[in-house]
Amino acid sequence: MNLTVQSWCLDQLRHLGWLDNMGSGGVFEDSLAAYQEFFGLEPTGELDGPTQRSLREYRFCALPDVLESREEARWRKNKLTIAVTGNLPALSKPQRLEAIALALGWWSEIIDLSFTISDDGITADITMGAGSIDGAGGTLAWSELPNGNDRPLQQKYDSAERFVVAEQMTGGTIDLARVICHEVGHALGLTHLRAGCLMAPTVSASIRKPQAGDVEAILALGYAPARRQPLPPPPGPPPLPPPAAKRKITIEVESNFSAARVLNIE
């Protein structure tokens, strides 16, 4: 392997928190195998091709891949205010608000939490800002995590990215809705989860909203499940047709009772 590539991979693994134990007798191969298993790769313990490609994938945020999850690090109230500041040049304001509404709605379908979007960044619980992070193609955003005291949190979305609002991402574009949904997961207290979850560290083209692993993790933090709307009552039997109108019939009978004919029906 090219020494420059190897050096970059090692720096990336260290930056993501996988080599933190190397100074205390940790084995590099074991740390790398743990990374590979976390991302659904074959745990070879070697910097093979799939591992190098994984290290270069779009990453949702700058948080380490593995963080200790604390049950108390969540919101105690069930109504949060979201402030939206700054600009994302790739999107109009209505498009950005559409992405935010989608992401918030996906979490509200899971836990008993409602959101209000506001222009007031002073009193907001979560402020979704925009600005330069590391240029296009690197870290897409970052978010603070709650500490259990309902303190306001800050988020930033990289203004250099080619954001879109679309389920299918093509030509280097990034769906902002899934990025926001991931970052809101952090703001609700979730750390990174394994491959196959929305809260995995890297962007998946097939995952746009919380998956089963995400649902299990967010409920494990202590949030109440979303309240389901009561089902409408089953429909009753169809109404009976109105009774036929009464009719008056006039009949003439022959005197010998051998024949009769209808003269009139009203």
Side-chain angles (χ1 to χ4, degrees):
M1 181 190 305
N2 184 290
L3 290 178
T4 302
V5 173
Q6 183 178 22
S7 177
W8 182 89
C9 289
L10 291 174
D11 287 343
Q12 185 75 339
L13 287 166
R14 186 173 291 105
H15 171 70
L16 299 173
W18 291 98
L19 303 185
D20 288 347
N21 65 338
M22 293 302 294
S24 58
V27 180
F28 169 76
E29 288 77 8
D30 292 345
S31 297
L32 187 55
Y35 171 91
Q36 292 165 330
E37 185 177 1
F38 187 82
F39 282 91
L41 304 172
E42 184 180 355
T44 62
E46 300 178 357
L47 277 172
D48 51 26
T51 303
Q52 292 181 49
R53 288 192 291 274
S54 172
L55 287 168
R56 296 182 183 277
E57 288 179 349
Y58 284 113
R59 303 191 68 83
F60 278 115
C61 53
L63 290 176
D65 288 346
V66 181
L67 288 172
E68 182 182 355
S69 180
R70 296 176 297 140
E71 182 176 345
E72 69 273 13
R74 64 174 177 85
W75 294 89
R76 300 298 166 180
K77 51 187 177 181
N78 60 2
K79 294 182 179 180
L80 301 180
T81 301
I82 310 295
V84 183
T85 64
N87 296 307
L88 295 175
L91 293 177
S92 65
K93 186 173 182 180
Q95 289 174 315
R96 186 180 178 189
L97 292 176
E98 177 189 358
I100 294 171
L102 282 170
L104 299 179
W106 291 329
W107 284 116
S108 291
E109 291 174 353
I110 300 169
I111 55 177
D112 183 21
L113 199 62
S114 62
F115 302 89
T116 300
I117 299 177
S118 169
D119 290 329
D120 185 0
I122 299 177
T123 61
D125 297 303
I126 303 173
T127 298
M128 296 181 177
S132 176
I133 297 180
D134 62 356
T139 299
L140 305 177
W142 60 258
S143 176
E144 294 181 317
L145 278 74
N147 64 357
N149 295 326
D150 288 354
R151 68 178 178 90
L153 303 180
Q154 297 290 323
Q155 294 184 341
K156 180 186 281 188
Y157 296 83
D158 197 341
S159 56
E161 300 295 343
R162 295 175 56 196
F163 285 124
V164 294
V165 185
E167 188 166 352
Q168 301 297 325
M169 301 182 293
T170 59
T173 60
I174 299 294
D175 173 38
L176 181 61
R178 75 190 69 197
V179 178
I180 294 175
C181 198
H182 178 100
E183 299 307 324
V184 169
H186 284 317
L188 297 180
L190 289 177
T191 55
H192 282 142
L193 302 176
R194 291 178 177 270
C197 297
L198 173 75
M199 295 306 297
T202 55
V203 178
S204 169
S206 62
I207 297 177
R208 198 182 189 200
K209 57 184 180 179
Q211 305 297 298
D214 303 293
V215 174
E216 181 181 358
I218 196 71
L219 293 178
L221 289 180
Y223 288 103
R227 299 177 182 177
R228 303 299 180 188
Q229 295 296 324
L231 295 175
L240 296 174
K246 294 182 179 180
R247 297 183 296 177
K248 180 180 179 182
I249 302 176
T250 303
I251 300 177
E252 181 185 54
V253 181
E254 297 288 345
S255 59
N256 59 5
F257 295 99
S258 63
R261 60 194 180 102
V262 176
L263 298 181
N264 188 38
I265 299 177
E266 296 180 356

